[in-house]
Amino acid sequence: MTRPSTPPILSELRSASSPASQVKALRQLKNELIGHEQKKEMWVGLGILTPLVRILNSYKGDGKRKPRDTDGDRNQEEAARPRTREEEARLQAIIIIGSLAHGGPAFLAPIHASLAVPPLLALLTTSESSPQLVVQILRTLNNIADSHCLSTTNQSKTDASLSTLLYTDSILRNLSVLVLQSSPSIATQQQITLIAALISKTCLEEYHRTLLVHTGVLDALAVKLTAWVATTLALPGNGERTPSSTWVMPDGNIYLRNARLSSILHTIGVIIQHSPSRASHFLNSPCLASMFQKFDTDFRAAYEKATASLPAGIKAGYKPPLTFVETLLPSLPTLHPRSASDHSVGFPPLDPIKVQGRQSQWSRCLSSAVEIFSSHGPEHVGENESPLVPWLMHVSRVFDEVTSLMSVRLLAILYRLRLVKKSRDPTIALLIVPPLVHLLDKDLRISQNALHPFDSSVPTSIGDIIREEVPAVLAMLTINNQRTQNAAADAGAFQKLSQLLKESYEPVAGGLSSAMWSSEPSGPTVALNSPETSRLGPTGISPAAYHFTKVRETTLVALAALASEKDDYRKAIIDNGVIPLIIRTLGAEDVNSAASSSVESPYGEDIERKAIYGNCREAILAACGATRALSRSVSTLRTSLMDAGLTAPLFVLLRCQDMELKVAATAVICNLVLEFSPMREALLEAGILKLLCDHAHSSNSNLRLNSMWALRNLVVNATLTVKIDCLAELGADWLRQVISSDLDITSTTRVADREDDNSTPIRMSTPNAAGEQVDLLNAVEEQSREFSQASEDDDEEDLEMQDSAGPFSKTDGEIKSRAISVKDRTSIDSLERISLHHPGSDLPDEIAVVKEGLEIVRNLMMGSNIAEMIDHLFREVGQAELFKILSAKMRPKVLNAFNRDRKSSESTGVRHIQPQPEILKSACYILVHIAASQPKHRQLLINQPKLLELIVPLFNHPDQEIRASCAWIVINLTWEQDESDKPACRARARHLMNIGVYEKLEAMANDSDLNCKERCKNALHQMSSLLRLP
């Protein structure tokens, strides 16, 4: 039997004889397509999308959804009104397009080529569309978004993508009106849930999140959440609950809560993530604030009434909770952790670095699913915490598994954004983390009332969602937090996460899904020269493959977070046997070949097998994070990672084309090339030195900075040959240009320039070594002056191991190296500390690059070959040039000295910019290393009077490590090499005495920092002995 060239249904749709016949043909086509994938391919090849889109374009709405649509009675009347033939035809066409989109990523190309999305959005935003039509449009858009998730190409980034068309001001404002609907009808509540799901799936960029706030979508979701909050709280005073479906707002409007709470919570989290300002905007929403204020007012009145008859003495012993929501949480023992002020005033703190150092801040995630923050946790909000925080904790304890998970997810986002007070840590560790880990139990019984948070076309179960989301949420709550890490470990997180990772690599039950048998060969059924609206695109991956890779990604992120602090937890991960799987996930070849296969042969089964058992980009990034966390352990480096063959996949990533993968792999290298790492020699033999030097010249600031950090670790106590090769590969001229750059000054002046609208600074710029524009008109230099005690503290002292070189002494005629190195990029999260866009990042990229260049010079000047290397550096970089650069880094600058009209608190009309503490620290330790070499190098340094004068004010610097480095300079300059060096040593001490160093050391004798005090004693003793002072 021969198939007709043009089926009757297609002929009828192309030229309908009547509206009724058109509707009949559409219904026949719908019944033929739903559930039949091969027929979908056939009809697309016949060009069915073109007449369907023409039907949608037969009516164009006004693009405005009128405010009256929020009226529930009006919506019910519209739902009861019978549809016209034209409306029915549009409804059937929308259902058919949704069914095609349900077929997977292969149908995205013809759908976008036929321009089917714009008329769908136009019908969505018109006020004449019936509720049923809006529901079907939203389902179709969700199907398209689901297929984008399974796509292996960059279709989602094209101009015709759903996100590009959806995220416009007019569309989102109409969506916010739809969210504010208060009708109790099922269709209206389905619309709210579908809109929330659509936003969760398509909100991918910061621009999208900002636009959702600007157009009122976040405020509309806050209104819906307010209604949910009200229905879950008991009325103060009488213990009764509010009505189950409504709550009256202060303005008299009634908002219903029948939409799924889990969808609303998840969407709010998607919008506010990465931004404290968006989160604060949400928490300060007027509806939330007024609702909580009403409950708190009634609660305080009820409390006063209940305690009015009590005696004053007894009443004074009761302290009511600050908010009504606090009463919903169980009472916990009050813990009083020791603070920096707990130690006796007469004694220095036992750990001055951890007590006095300001906590450094984060990094963007090891994957796209979750964010990992700083090495010592965020600085949390004070007591002005939103009552929504305890309410989220309450919801996590009393609702079904899905809603509880989504509430904890939103709580974790607020926690990472520092909007949860630090005193919540015990509550989170005891009440939140254990139930969260228990959601990963294999025998978990899901409640019958648990609902899928999304109306998704991807056939995922609630269990799949739990397994994908729980590790990501757990990572946000436990990264660099030993209290919550301990709670997770006690709940069995390591065993469950390890098992989850193993299951993601196990063969799929029943094998890979195969297509139904057909007498026709598989592959394209249309000619290559057919229109794009009739050609299928790449098939993408299956929902099962997507689930496995997502679980793999989030599980690795969670393991990295749990291994961020304690060696015991790293050992627990190793003992669970997941190291081979982590190394396997690092392999980038599978995903590259799968991506290429998906383009060349989209109909083959090989892509599906590679997608499930291979890797995706996000999983590789997560594996890099896990490897980096584990590499912080010396024992792990010496055994598990080395034996598992880590080097080969890392070199593949270091040479790949994906910039983010190269950045992540370079961050792993930072820990693998440390002095104590047994992998250093193997990496050097494999050519890591040249590769890192090449990356250091990259125009990508993240890759450049990570490479320079790895190089500074690589040259610590390395052989003279390695150091000379490193300098040669980097280029002495390039290194000199990097460390001499005034980017650390100009980045500060730009901020000051923006503060003064009346000034226009003079600027000249030229590309630097990295290809960036650098100001050539440097600030005017001025003689140094005393540092203000208000200067900023050091942000990175916890990340460096400067005192690892041992005591500074002479034994058996040999001088131990008195150079202090920076060895370990110890924090798992420092991969992302280089991002300017992250709140609380330690240093901007431009300053960090200058700092790392100075650190490379610093670490080149240490080890047994320190004298030879200093001479080599002086020859290549230039002795006078190096001292000039160090002087420039240590000298305060005059900001905009040519603009005398600028307002200033100083009588001269100019402002002085003090050097960055991090830059100062690096420059000072370079001088420490020069002074730690041979007597000739000490003499070269003492012959730099202007440079030494710049050191004198640093004895008063608020940073204790800078003060200690100044003391080390004095100790090394007054060190007596042998008897013949005694006259020169005494002369150096006398010169230091003349410029006021001795007085500064005497003032440091009672320094609050123990290290500074001890170094000061050594320096005073040596100078007193040489100058025969009492």
Side-chain angles (χ1 to χ4, degrees):
M1 182 175 180
T2 305
R3 179 181 299 168
S5 58
T6 303
I9 294 178
L10 183 58
S11 300
E12 181 65 31
L13 293 180
R14 286 176 175 174
S15 57
S17 57
S18 65
S21 62
Q22 186 182 58
V23 172
K24 181 180 178 180
L26 287 169
R27 286 175 175 168
Q28 291 177 350
L29 179 61
K30 178 187 68 175
N31 295 333
E32 186 174 347
L33 289 180
I34 293 179
H36 297 276
E37 302 303 319
Q38 290 179 335
K39 289 188 176 181
K40 291 179 183 179
E41 297 178 10
M42 181 193 73
W43 279 102
V44 169
L46 293 174
I48 191 60
L49 279 168
T50 300
L52 291 177
V53 174
R54 187 170 62 250
I55 293 173
L56 296 181
N57 285 323
S58 63
Y59 172 80
K60 296 183 179 179
D62 55 11
K64 297 180 180 179
R65 181 161 291 276
K66 301 175 182 179
R68 62 180 174 84
D69 288 347
T70 60
D71 180 30
D73 295 335
R74 177 75 183 190
N75 283 338
Q76 291 184 18
E77 293 176 4
E78 292 182 356
R81 177 177 58 84
R83 291 186 294 271
T84 64
R85 295 292 186 184
E86 290 77 9
E87 291 175 338
E88 185 66 26
R90 287 193 292 271
L91 178 62
Q92 297 300 323
I94 292 169
I95 294 174
I96 292 172
I97 294 176
S99 177
L100 294 175
H102 189 275
F107 294 90
L108 288 177
I111 288 175
H112 285 305
S114 63
L115 302 179
V117 175
L120 289 175
L121 295 175
L123 288 169
L124 178 66
T125 57
T126 180
S127 57
E128 282 73 19
S129 297
S130 64
Q132 293 83 359
L133 187 68
V134 172
V135 169
Q136 292 303 329
I137 293 173
L138 290 170
R139 282 180 176 167
T140 298
L141 294 175
N142 271 276
N143 289 349
I144 295 174
D146 290 331
S147 295
H148 274 297
C149 294
L150 303 178
S151 176
T152 58
T153 67
N154 291 326
Q155 273 182 309
S156 59
K157 298 181 180 179
T158 62
D159 293 336
S161 71
L162 177 60
S163 295
T164 304
L165 298 171
L166 179 63
Y167 285 90
T168 62
D169 189 273
S170 59
I171 298 294
L172 293 182
R173 289 190 185 277
N174 282 284
L175 288 183
S176 67
V177 175
L178 287 173
V179 172
L180 288 174
Q181 294 178 105
S182 57
S183 171
S185 66
I186 296 177
T188 300
Q189 300 308 311
Q190 284 178 335
Q191 292 175 21
I192 299 173
T193 300
L194 288 167
I195 290 173
L198 182 62
I199 293 173
S200 295
K201 298 170 187 176
T202 59
C203 185
L204 306 176
E205 307 291 341
E206 281 297 300
Y207 169 73
H208 297 161
R209 301 182 181 96
T210 303
L211 195 58
L212 287 168
V213 177
H214 175 69
T215 55
V217 174
L218 181 59
D219 292 332
L221 291 170
V223 170
K224 286 301 172 183
L225 183 63
T226 300
W228 259 108
V229 173
T231 59
T232 59
L233 299 182
L235 285 175
N238 56 16
E240 297 179 0
R241 292 188 179 274
T242 54
S244 59
S245 60
T246 66
W247 185 70
V248 181
M249 295 289 290
D251 59 3
N253 294 326
I254 297 178
Y255 301 98
L256 301 175
R257 57 85 173 173
N258 290 331
R260 297 176 189 177
L261 176 59
S262 57
S263 298
I264 296 174
L265 291 172
H266 187 276
T267 306
I268 291 174
V270 169
I271 297 174
I272 69 173
Q273 64 184 346
H274 315 322
S275 172
S277 61
R278 287 196 298 267
S280 299
H281 177 90
F282 161 68
L283 294 177
N284 295 324
S285 175
C287 55
L288 277 173
S290 60
M291 187 271 300
F292 281 119
Q293 183 179 6
K294 178 182 183 300
F295 274 99
D296 291 341
T297 301
D298 295 343
F299 171 70
R300 283 191 292 269
Y303 174 81
E304 293 295 335
K305 181 178 179 181
T307 59
S309 59
L310 294 176
I314 298 178
K315 184 177 179 179
Y318 290 94
K319 185 179 181 181
L322 296 176
T323 63
F324 168 68
V325 188
E326 295 286 352
T327 62
L328 302 176
L329 299 178
S331 300
L332 296 176
T334 303
L335 301 178
H336 299 284
R338 293 181 62 86
S339 64
S341 60
D342 290 339
H343 61 268
S344 173
V345 178
F347 295 90
L350 295 178
D351 193 348
I353 292 181
K354 292 184 179 179
V355 171
Q356 298 182 4
R358 190 171 64 189
Q359 293 178 339
S360 58
Q361 186 65 25
W362 131 279
S363 171
R364 160 98 192 200
C365 127
L366 306 170
S367 77
S368 61
V370 69
E371 298 192 356
I372 303 302
F373 278 68
S374 73
S375 60
H376 290 281
E379 297 175 1
H380 292 256
V381 72
E383 294 301 320
N384 296 326
E385 179 189 74
S386 172
L388 186 69
V389 171
W391 179 81
L392 290 172
M393 295 182 178
H394 169 66
V395 169
S396 70
R397 291 170 49 80
V398 299
F399 276 69
D400 61 87
E401 291 80 6
V402 176
T403 306
S404 298
L405 174 58
M406 295 307 165
S407 65
V408 175
R409 181 180 181 275
L410 181 56
L411 174 68
I413 291 173
L414 295 174
Y415 182 80
R416 297 313 332 166
L417 293 176
R418 299 179 283 179
L419 295 173
V420 178
K421 56 187 179 183
K422 186 65 176 178
S423 58
R424 293 284 184 193
D425 277 3
T427 305
I428 293 175
L430 294 176
L431 301 183
I432 303 300
V433 173
L436 183 66
V437 175
H438 291 322
L439 289 176
L440 296 177
D441 292 344
K442 294 182 69 67
D443 56 350
L444 176 68
R445 299 182 62 180
I446 301 175
S447 305
Q448 294 182 354
N449 60 344
L451 298 176
H452 200 293
F454 317 116
D455 280 346
S456 175
S457 64
V458 178
T460 54
S461 65
I462 293 178
D464 290 343
I465 293 176
I466 290 176
R467 285 186 286 273
E468 290 175 8
E469 292 285 347
V470 167
V473 177
L474 184 65
M476 286 191 282
L477 291 175
T478 57
I479 178 67
N480 305 122
N481 188 321
Q482 290 196 21
R483 188 190 297 273
T484 52
Q485 286 176 6
N486 294 339
D490 294 341
F494 291 106
Q495 296 84 351
K496 295 173 183 178
L497 290 172
S498 300
Q499 183 61 31
L500 206 59
L501 183 60
K502 294 175 182 178
E503 291 175 357
S504 72
Y505 276 107
E506 290 179 355
V508 182
L512 297 174
S513 59
S514 58
M516 297 179 60
W517 180 88
S518 173
S519 59
E520 300 178 0
S522 61
T525 59
V526 295
L528 294 178
N529 59 353
S530 61
E532 293 183 358
T533 57
S534 302
R535 291 204 305 264
L536 296 180
T539 57
I541 60 176
S542 69
Y546 177 81
H547 169 67
F548 287 134
T549 55
K550 191 69 175 179
V551 168
R552 199 173 301 155
E553 171 197 350
T554 56
T555 302
L556 288 170
V557 170
L559 290 173
L562 291 170
S564 62
E565 291 292 326
K566 299 179 66 174
D567 255 1
D568 292 341
Y569 293 159
R570 300 183 189 109
K571 186 176 183 299
I573 293 175
I574 297 171
D575 292 342
N576 280 280
V578 298
I579 294 295
L581 298 180
I582 295 176
I583 303 302
R584 178 178 176 180
T585 310
L586 285 173
E589 296 177 343
D590 290 340
V591 70
N592 290 338
S593 59
S596 61
S597 299
S598 66
V599 177
E600 297 171 3
S601 179
Y603 299 90
E605 287 188 2
D606 191 48
I607 175 180
E608 179 73 4
R609 185 174 299 278
K610 288 181 178 180
I612 293 180
Y613 303 115
N615 305 296
C616 68
R617 180 172 174 273
E618 289 74 19
I620 296 173
L621 290 173
C624 287
T627 305
R628 186 173 179 199
L630 294 173
S631 67
R632 296 174 66 186
S633 169
V634 180
S635 58
T636 304
L637 282 173
R638 289 175 178 170
T639 54
S640 303
L641 291 179
M642 189 173 182
D643 296 341
L646 176 60
T647 304
L650 273 183
F651 268 87
V652 173
L653 294 178
L654 288 170
R655 294 188 174 100
C656 72
Q657 298 300 316
D658 190 292
M659 184 60 65
E660 194 169 356
L661 289 179
K662 282 201 286 190
V663 171
T666 308
V668 178
I669 293 294
C670 290
N671 286 348
L672 301 182
V673 295
L674 294 168
E675 179 186 3
F676 56 78
S677 171
M679 300 184 66
R680 177 193 266 194
E681 293 302 324
L683 290 171
L684 283 172
E685 293 176 0
I688 192 63
L689 179 60
K690 178 174 174 48
L691 198 55
L692 290 176
C693 291
D694 291 340
H695 288 175
H697 293 80
S698 171
S699 60
N700 182 279
S701 59
N702 292 5
L703 181 61
R704 182 168 69 249
L705 185 54
N706 275 3
S707 301
M708 294 178 69
W709 201 311
L711 285 171
R712 88 176 194 183
N713 290 348
L714 179 62
V715 298
V716 173
N717 287 331
T719 63
L720 184 62
T721 302
V722 171
K723 292 181 179 181
I724 293 176
D725 291 344
C726 178
L727 185 59
E729 290 290 344
L730 281 178
D733 293 337
W734 179 87
L735 184 60
R736 180 173 59 248
Q737 187 175 2
V738 168
I739 64 177
S740 63
S741 172
D742 264 353
L743 285 175
D744 55 318
I745 300 300
T746 56
S747 64
T748 306
T749 61
R750 293 188 193 110
V751 177
D753 289 336
R754 287 194 295 266
E755 295 174 355
D756 190 350
D757 297 332
N758 299 323
S759 63
T760 305
I762 304 173
R763 285 200 162 93
M764 297 172 59
S765 62
T766 187
N768 67 356
E772 301 172 332
Q773 294 296 317
V774 182
D775 291 343
L776 291 180
L777 190 57
N778 297 328
V780 175
E781 299 174 349
E782 182 186 349
Q783 293 297 324
S784 65
R785 56 192 180 92
E786 296 291 329
F787 272 80
S788 170
Q789 292 295 325
S791 298
E792 69 172 299
D793 293 334
D794 176 31
D795 284 342
E796 289 187 69
E797 55 194 8
D798 289 343
L799 300 182
E800 300 173 348
M801 302 191 302
Q802 289 104 341
D803 293 330
S804 55
F808 289 61
S809 60
K810 174 185 177 183
T811 57
D812 299 331
E814 296 179 354
I815 300 178
K816 291 186 177 181
S817 172
R818 297 189 295 278
I820 305 172
S821 68
V822 179
K823 290 186 177 180
D824 186 14
R825 193 175 188 180
T826 56
S827 173
I828 179 180
D829 51 351
S830 50
L831 166 62
E832 295 298 335
R833 59 172 287 281
I834 52 185
S835 176
L836 273 171
H837 301 289
H838 180 266
S841 59
D842 296 314
L843 290 174
D845 289 355
E846 51 218 26
I847 301 178
V849 167
V850 176
K851 170 183 166 55
E852 294 310 314
L854 292 171
E855 294 295 343
I856 291 176
V857 175
R858 167 184 174 178
N859 287 351
L860 284 172
M861 295 180 175
M862 72 164 296
S864 58
N865 46 36
I866 181 174
E868 294 86 345
M869 195 61 211
I870 291 177
D871 290 336
H872 183 71
L873 275 170
F874 282 165
R875 287 193 300 270
E876 297 296 322
V877 178
Q879 173 185 314
E881 184 67 21
L882 183 59
F883 284 130
K884 180 180 177 181
I885 292 172
L886 294 178
S887 298
K889 296 304 174 187
M890 300 173 67
R891 179 180 294 113
K893 303 297 187 295
V894 178
L895 177 63
N896 285 336
F898 298 109
N899 188 356
R900 296 296 179 179
D901 294 331
R902 177 185 290 273
K903 295 180 181 180
S904 175
S905 60
E906 300 183 15
S907 58
T908 58
V910 296
R911 285 178 289 179
H912 297 84
I913 302 299
Q914 301 295 347
Q916 286 277 347
E918 291 299 321
I919 301 296
L920 266 179
K921 189 188 306 180
S922 301
C924 287
Y925 276 110
I926 290 176
L927 298 180
V928 171
H929 291 201
I930 294 175
S933 184
Q934 294 180 351
K936 65 177 182 178
H937 297 132
R938 300 189 196 105
Q939 202 62 37
L940 285 174
L941 181 57
I942 206 69
N943 291 333
Q944 307 294 325
K946 293 183 178 180
L947 179 58
L948 293 177
E949 289 174 1
L950 293 172
I951 298 175
V952 178
L954 300 183
F955 285 92
N956 296 329
H957 198 279
D959 189 292
Q960 64 267 27
E961 194 167 353
I962 293 178
R963 299 196 303 272
S965 67
C966 294
W968 276 120
I969 293 174
V970 177
I971 293 173
N972 290 348
L973 284 176
T974 56
W975 179 264
E976 186 179 331
Q977 180 83 7
D978 48 37
E979 191 64 27
S980 61
D981 186 42
K982 192 170 185 177
C985 189
R986 183 178 292 111
R988 293 194 294 269
R990 186 176 297 107
H991 180 77
L992 293 175
M993 180 82 171
N994 294 336
I995 63 177
V997 170
Y998 193 84
E999 290 78 3
K1000 294 293 185 180
L1001 290 172
E1002 288 182 324
M1004 281 181 61
N1006 296 320
D1007 196 283
S1008 59
D1009 182 74
L1010 181 60
N1011 183 42
C1012 293
K1013 183 183 293 187
E1014 292 301 317
R1015 302 292 79 77
C1016 176
K1017 288 181 180 178
N1018 294 346
L1020 285 172
H1021 173 72
Q1022 290 185 191
M1023 288 190 68
S1024 300
S1025 300
L1026 289 170
L1027 300 176
R1028 296 185 176 88
L1029 298 176

